[in-house]
Every structure is written in C-alpha cells, then in structure tokens.
Amino acid sequence: MYWNAWPLDRLLILFVGAAFILIGIQVTMFHYRQNFHHKSMWTPVVSAPVFAASALVLSAYNAGWLRGLFGIFMVVGVVNGLIGVYLHARGVRVRVGGWAIRNFLIGPPVVLPFLFTAISGLGIIALYWR
C-alpha cells in the first residue's frame, strides 16, 4: 500500500508527473495560440494535468486501484499522442508547399505529440517495472 523507499519505478512515475505538467503548459500555449480551432486540441490540454495529478498521487500513495487508473491513463496518453502526430502531420501537409521544411518550422510541431506518446510509454514502463 505504501512505498518503502524510492525505487526506480517510483522515481520514473514522479518524473512522468513532472513531465506532464511541463508538456501541459507547452501544449496549452500552442493550442491557445491557434484559438483551439479544432475540438481535438482540447484533448491534451485537459488530459495532461489529469495524467500529471495521477502520477504525482501514485508516487506518494501506492494503491492498487490508483495503479490501474494510472495504467489506463497512460494507454489513453499513447493513443492521444499518436492521433496528435497524425493531426499535426496533416496540418503540415495542408499548408501551402506541403512537406516543405519551412512548413515544419512554422506549422504545427510534429515532434510534440511524439513526446506526449513517449512520456506516456515511459509511464507504462515504470508501472510494470520489476
């Protein structure tokens, strides 16, 4: 029920929580800049703080139900990130010039949803670390 020490899995879960706080701030600023013109832009803005809170609470209190909830959140985060990669890549493609390098520089950041996916994947790895 309670953690006995600070093993690697607990540290990684704490890191995942801190990373989702920072990613949530960044994605909120980027999507706010675009005036949330697509409803799916709200998904990472709302989910990142929820993911962060669940990770931070889990790093303090190791309950079985909380581990299960955190696992579900991380799977949802992986799926959300992959959907974001598709939407961001499509956003670059529809700009004038298509896949030109300048569209990757000024268009939607294609790498940021990969980061959302990677941090969620790290949360899954930390959860099942033995």
Side-chain angles (χ1 to χ4, degrees):
M1 192 97 145
Y2 294 101
W3 293 94
N4 293 328
W6 284 90
L8 182 61
D9 55 342
R10 186 177 183 189
L11 289 171
L12 286 176
I13 290 170
L14 182 65
F15 174 80
V16 166
F20 270 118
I21 290 171
L22 298 174
I23 291 170
I25 292 168
Q26 186 65 53
V27 78
T28 301
M29 288 189 301
F30 278 154
H31 289 175
Y32 178 79
R33 182 179 68 184
Q34 294 299 319
N35 295 320
F36 294 96
H37 72 272
H38 195 273
K39 290 179 184 176
S40 65
M41 296 173 98
W42 284 100
T43 304
V45 171
V46 172
S47 63
V50 173
F51 296 170
S54 69
L56 295 176
V57 170
L58 180 59
S59 68
Y61 183 70
N62 189 19
W65 66 271
L66 191 54
R67 292 179 70 83
L69 185 64
F70 180 72
I72 291 169
F73 285 162
M74 293 301 97
V75 170
V76 169
V78 167
V79 172
N80 283 344
L82 294 176
I83 292 170
V85 169
Y86 167 75
L87 292 173
H88 281 219
R90 189 180 70 178
V92 169
R93 181 180 51 87
V94 299
R95 296 178 73 86
V96 175
W99 297 107
I101 191 71
R102 71 177 183 279
N103 288 339
F104 283 99
L105 296 173
I106 62 173
V110 179
V111 175
L112 194 58
F114 275 123
L115 183 62
F116 203 88
T117 301
I119 295 298
S120 298
L122 181 63
I124 292 170
I125 291 169
L127 188 62
Y128 295 106
W129 186 269
R130 294 288 167 202

